[in-house]
Amino acid sequence: MKLIYAGLLGVVLAFLSVASASTKITVNGMVCAFCAQGIEKSLSKIPEVKAVFVDLKNKVVIVESRDGVALNDKSLTQGITDAGYDV
């Protein structure tokens, strides 16, 4: 199962690097699926965000931007802190 998960994450990361800009963020305090869901919901509200991928095991969030739009690190950080977590 771990091998499949690692392979899937690698495919997602490879796709993101080709399709559009993405940002990888380490999130402190994210320990459960409920935490991940809250962060995903908060970041999805940002207009520049196309998709949010959460790696709960490694406490990492990958945010993909919409085509032709740059991600604003400040707004991403604010979205995570608004959800109650530290970057």
Side-chain angles (χ1 to χ4, degrees):
M1 182 69 172
K2 288 182 181 179
L3 182 59
I4 292 171
Y5 178 74
L8 179 60
L9 183 59
V11 170
V12 168
L13 291 174
F15 173 75
L16 290 176
S17 65
V18 172
S20 61
S22 64
T23 300
K24 181 179 175 182
I25 306 164
T26 302
V27 180
N28 300 317
M30 182 174 64
V31 295
C32 66
F34 184 73
C35 299
Q37 183 181 19
I39 291 170
E40 185 176 353
K41 185 176 179 180
S42 179
L43 292 176
S44 294
K45 292 178 183 179
I46 300 171
E48 298 85 12
V49 173
K50 180 178 181 179
V52 179
F53 302 95
V54 178
D55 180 355
L56 188 57
K57 180 181 175 190
N58 294 313
K59 297 179 178 22
V60 172
V61 176
I62 301 166
V63 183
E64 179 184 359
S65 70
R66 296 192 184 277
D67 294 335
V69 179
L71 291 170
N72 181 339
D73 290 341
K74 186 176 180 180
S75 65
L76 295 177
T77 300
Q78 187 64 45
I80 292 171
T81 55
D82 286 350
Y85 302 92
D86 295 322
V87 177

